[in-house]
Amino acid sequence: MVADFNQAMKSALAQASLAASSGEVPVGAVVLDESGQIIGVGHNDREASHNPLGHAEVVALTQAAAAKKSWRLDGCTLVVTLEPCTMCAGATVQARIARIVFGAFDEKAGAVGSLWDVVRDRRLPHRPEVISGVLAQECAQILTDFFAANR
């Protein structure tokens, strides 16, 4: 199953590289529709957009919702290079995302299993499937390189 998302994660890594080249924290995301086609892409753009909501996941979810002409992203998969934070985990639940696939764990702010597990809280009416560790080394390395160069 993990190998099924390698190509999508490579697309998310390309988005993360775009973020890094703009001085943003290199996180990238793509949203796949039910057939596996990319319908939304995003990378962190908080600095450029001066928007605290400018996380890769939110950007990609917004683009996917526009493509589907619906806020409901039933059947869709979010593929992201870094474990989503609480805001982004909440956004995936609100969007009714079917599956979250992520690469690197975020021990400091992760909300899909590391620090919190927002998306699998039994009190919520919608709980997406979670697949972690897809191209984890590559996803972690782009962050390590970015922070090493910017400290």
Side-chain angles (χ1 to χ4, degrees), residues 15-32:
Q15 288 294 312
S17 291
L18 288 173
S21 68
S22 302
E24 303 276 355
V25 174
V27 178
V30 298
V31 176
L32 309 175

Side-chain angles (χ1 to χ4, degrees), residues 27-111:
V27 178
V30 298
V31 176
L32 309 175
D33 68 10
E34 300 87 342
S35 71
Q37 296 299 308
I38 294 175
I39 60 169
V41 300
H43 57 77
N44 280 0
D45 73 353
R46 292 190 311 170
E47 302 299 331
S49 67
H50 310 291
N51 182 352
L53 305 179
H55 288 208
E57 300 94 326
V58 172
V59 174
L61 290 169
T62 300
Q63 194 176 99
K68 287 192 71 138
K69 296 181 177 27
S70 174
W71 63 267
R72 294 178 187 269
L73 298 178
D74 300 304
C76 293
T77 299
L78 172 69
V79 180
V80 59
T81 58
L82 182 65
E83 178 183 2
C85 69
T86 53
M87 175 182 70
C88 295
T92 62
V93 170
Q94 291 299 315
R96 308 300 193 263
I97 284 287
R99 180 181 304 106
I100 299 169
V101 177
F102 69 88
F105 282 90
D106 184 350
E107 299 296 329
K108 293 181 180 179

